[in-house]
Amino acid sequence: MATINANYNKLAAGYLFPEIARRARAYQEKNPGVELLRLGIGNTTEPLTPAIIQGLHSGVDKLASVATYTGYGDEQGDTRLREALCNYYKQLGVHLQVDDIFISDGAKPDSGNIQSIFGLDNIVAVQDPAYPVYVDTNVIAGRTGQFNPEKGLYDGIVYMPCTDANGFFSPPPNQKVDIIYLCSPNNPTGAVASREQLQQFVDYANKHKAVIIFDAAYSFFIKDPNLPKSIFEIDGAQECALEISSFSKIAGFTGVRLGWAVVPKTLVIENTNPGKVNSLWNRRQTTFFNGASNIVQEGGLAVFTSAGMNECRGLIDYYMHNASIIKEGMQKIGLTAYGGDNAPYIWMKTPHNIKSWEFFDKLLHEAHVVCTPGSGFGPSGEGYVRLSSFGHRENIIKAVRSIQDNLKI
Ligand SMILES: *Cc1c(COP(=O)(O)O)cnc(C)c1O
């Protein structure tokens, strides 16, 4: 008799984005003439740039002849790409070895899969609000209790509230935890941790032999040279942290699929020697994963050429200009908006403390703008919405104007 993994039954009803899509669709069906303006999902909209397209084409062309054809590659990724990433980290003052780096099909799979190498009795801490993958994958693995609908939290998880009072980056927890997920620049709040803030977590993790899982998917959006782009810029981080990142938001690879994880051999946790955690992730990947697409990795290599890097900076500047249009546009009508300076997301306080979903409906009905309710990312997101700068400029301008002209505050 087969049974299901009953942990799936613990997952709180529905994923956030299907519910947003459902409400937007229902409104559109009732109001077919209305043009909906989307500041909701964090999905890239601008085309891949020429150097990257050339890289992808060269990947395809290599498969067309006997002399250059390749089948399965190394599960850990193309050595040239791993070396290119080592060079990127070197520019940040971070010295890694090629076998510290694992190429993957994206940061979402890595951030979901990484928990499988850690014991089920570990206590997990997450930022609240957070990218939902960290919590949900630990629920599925069985590292939590039931969902508490009144509190909007799972029993057994330690939530670190990120509020306006702490600049949306909480200090380490007061109690002992074992696995800490951090995302900076943050999705959804757009907050970026300072060196001092990350140092506190690294010191905490080294003291308690905890591990930090650092999601750096938005590191390239950091403009302020004083802000760290990698956890490994922090003293002691190579002993307690691993880092997950992605080509999705850097280079528009959301649909192309490519990411990487850094699991330094220096990382040690309870009862492990250096190299053990790295070798477990290697074992996990070689068992479950057959390597990222060879075509796509050629595209990834092109990202780290000087032409590719310049073009990607152009893409990021484009989205960051959108972010400033949104942020200034909201502030102009008296709304309180955070983030958007070193991250593509604006975290906006709802007027008069109305609930996130109530404001979502109000914005949809009055301004025809789709946003993302903050409460979908955790209980401390209640009373906020996330506005995304991923969109065509003309649509961003239209959405901001429509809010300015039509929202009844
Ligand atoms: C978009 C995003 C990712 C990227 O995931 P991919 O699977 O590489 O597309 C990872 N983490 C966060 C926080 C994100 O917002």
Side-chain angles (χ1 to χ4, degrees):
M1 187 177 70
T3 61
I4 61 158
N5 173 357
N7 291 318
Y8 277 87
N9 293 334
K10 292 182 195 163
L11 290 169
Y15 189 64
L16 176 61
F17 294 105
E19 177 60 17
I20 294 170
R22 194 190 64 75
R23 292 193 191 201
R25 211 180 315 115
Y27 181 79
Q28 188 76 85
E29 275 163 18
K30 273 197 206 135
N31 304 274
V34 168
E35 184 195 0
L36 284 188
L37 303 162
R38 295 179 191 278
L39 297 179
I41 296 184
N43 198 355
T44 50
T45 56
E46 302 312 299
L48 298 182
T49 59
I52 319 299
I53 289 293
Q54 209 182 348
L56 289 166
H57 278 166
S58 82
V60 172
D61 290 341
K62 280 186 179 178
L63 297 182
S65 87
V66 170
T68 50
Y69 173 83
T70 52
Y72 292 126
D74 294 337
E75 290 95 339
Q76 302 83 356
D78 188 320
T79 305
R80 295 170 302 151
L81 184 55
R82 298 164 89 195
E83 282 167 354
L85 285 164
C86 276
N87 280 331
Y88 158 70
Y89 279 102
K90 211 176 282 169
Q91 288 158 26
L92 302 179
V94 173
H95 297 277
L96 297 170
Q97 291 171 333
V98 166
D99 57 358
D100 293 331
I101 297 178
F102 297 82
I103 308 299
S104 75
D105 57 349
K108 184 177 188 176
D110 278 355
S111 60
N113 292 331
I114 195 76
Q115 49 76 28
S116 79
I117 64 171
F118 300 109
L120 287 182
D121 49 357
N122 285 295
I123 306 281
V124 172
V126 293
Q127 293 174 291
D128 168 25
Y131 185 53
V133 177
Y134 317 140
V135 167
D136 286 1
T137 55
N138 277 289
V139 172
I140 291 168
R143 243 174 240 105
T144 75
Q146 296 295 330
F147 185 68
N148 180 330
E150 272 113 74
K151 292 189 184 154
L153 329 146
Y154 287 91
D155 294 333
I157 289 209
V158 174
Y159 291 80
M160 302 181 286
C162 298
T163 63
D164 54 354
N166 60 24
F168 301 100
F169 202 89
S170 90
N174 294 322
Q175 69 201 95
K176 187 179 176 307
V177 299
D178 308 304
I179 299 174
I180 303 166
Y181 289 85
L182 294 178
C183 177
S184 173
N186 192 268
N187 176 9
T189 67
V192 185
S194 68
R195 279 171 201 282
E196 295 71 27
Q197 285 171 317
L198 290 185
Q199 189 72 59
Q200 283 187 16
F201 273 95
V202 166
D203 292 346
Y204 173 97
N206 277 321
K207 183 174 160 203
H208 294 289
K209 283 203 185 153
V211 61
I212 295 171
I213 298 172
F214 190 78
D215 187 337
Y218 298 98
S219 60
F220 280 64
F221 289 78
I222 294 177
K223 286 189 280 190
D224 182 342
N226 296 316
L227 294 170
K229 295 187 174 70
S230 164
I231 187 76
F232 301 121
E233 291 180 60
I234 308 304
D235 285 341
Q238 285 203 33
E239 284 72 52
C240 67
L242 58 90
E243 181 163 299
I244 286 164
S245 198
S246 170
F247 289 77
S248 285
K249 317 299 176 3
I250 298 172
F253 274 36
T254 39
V256 180
R257 311 305 306 142
L258 194 65
W260 72 89
V262 181
V263 186
K265 291 185 295 303
T266 42
L267 167 61
V268 283
I269 57 173
E270 188 71 27
N271 293 328
T272 68
N273 292 320
K276 179 69 178 175
V277 179
N278 174 283
S279 79
L280 283 188
W281 183 241
N282 190 53
R283 188 71 171 86
R284 192 273 167 208
Q285 289 299 77
T286 51
T287 303
F288 284 83
F289 184 58
N290 244 341
S293 153
N294 45 13
I295 300 169
V296 169
Q297 291 190 83
E298 291 291 337
L301 266 168
V303 170
F304 282 96
T305 60
S306 65
M309 216 17 64
N310 281 336
E311 291 172 4
C312 289
R313 298 224 177 282
L315 267 184
I316 289 167
D317 288 345
Y318 179 87
Y319 292 126
M320 289 308 289
H321 189 178
N322 286 350
S324 69
I325 291 170
I326 297 169
K327 189 173 184 179
E328 287 163 22
M330 297 304 99
Q331 289 174 335
K332 202 169 162 193
I333 53 169
L335 291 164
T336 305
Y338 301 95
D341 298 327
N342 295 284
Y345 297 118
I346 287 91
W347 190 236
M348 188 164 83
K349 209 164 163 39
T350 64
H352 316 296
N353 293 319
I354 44 183
K355 299 241 173 184
S356 300
W357 275 112
E358 205 180 310
F359 185 72
F360 171 92
D361 288 332
K362 183 177 163 67
L363 200 64
L364 180 61
H365 287 250
E366 293 176 4
H368 312 141
V369 170
V370 181
C371 67
T372 309
S375 56
F377 298 97
S380 296
E382 186 59 273
Y384 289 88
V385 295
R386 188 192 75 175
L387 303 177
S388 167
S389 68
F390 291 112
H392 303 313
R393 180 71 41 81
E394 61 273 22
N395 294 344
I396 298 283
I397 292 172
K398 251 195 224 171
V400 168
R401 288 226 180 99
S402 180
I403 296 172
Q404 291 177 333
D405 294 344
N406 303 311
L407 184 70
K408 301 184 191 78
I409 303 175

